[in-house]
Amino acid sequence: MTTTKSYINKVMHDRKSVRKYEANFKIPQSELEELLVEATTAPSSSNLQPWRFLVIQDEAVKKDLRLIANNQEQVETASAIIAVLGDTEMYNNVEEVYTKNFELGYMDEATKNMMIENSLKLYPNLPKEILKNIATFDAGLISMQIMLLAKDMGYDTVTMGGFNKEAFAERFELTDNLVPIVLIAIGKAAASAYGSSRLALNDIAKFI
């Protein structure tokens, strides 16, 4: 049986990792803001939304970042670099999150109070490494949404995990609770991306 592919399916297949960008093309900040707002519909652990962003547009700062990011050309030529950070103290926002959910009618007051109480019992007592793992997982979810939304807006992206995270934290004076996770270059492609193959389903999935 054949089916017509959906629009989201098309966007998924059209998205490629682009490393050559038109250096003089600039995405308006208003569009970058819209992109990030839409991307925050991503799910997260207990809806605590541990993602934070540092959006780097300044040319001199991008030059500095290129040195930190293994001299990758796209760091400097892309319109912007979205640094996705993880907040290991995401639980500090639990009351704000669940109070807003209650005010919007998404849950009753008893559920709100229970979620706040349970989260404050759990998260602050977890080892920092586990909190970092949670933030990293959630950052991966929102990063994929950023890339798909960017493609839908007519822009291209590439993720970069290969950068000196310690040097990044020092250069941008990150507080101890903020962990650099991934850099996303976004801009207008100057050259087509390479195609890429995928492993066969039989090699990666087992149905039982």
Side-chain angles (χ1 to χ4, degrees), residues 54 56 61 64-65 67-69 83-86 128 132 163-183:
L54 185 59
I56 301 163
V61 179
D64 289 348
L65 180 56
L67 298 177
I68 295 171
V84 184
L85 318 175
K128 185 166 182 179
K132 180 180 176 182
F163 64 103
N164 187 324
K165 294 177 173 60
E166 292 77 15
F168 183 96
E170 181 178 352
R171 168 63 179 80
F172 295 102
E173 300 179 342
L174 301 186
T175 52
D176 289 343
N177 59 299
L178 294 179
V179 179
I181 296 172
V182 71
L183 306 177

Side-chain angles (χ1 to χ4, degrees), residues 85-101:
L85 318 175
D87 186 354
T88 59
E89 295 179 1
M90 73 288 271
Y91 49 81
N92 286 332
N93 296 315
V94 65
E95 291 198 30
E96 178 184 352
V97 168
Y98 285 107
T99 297
K100 188 172 183 180
N101 284 348

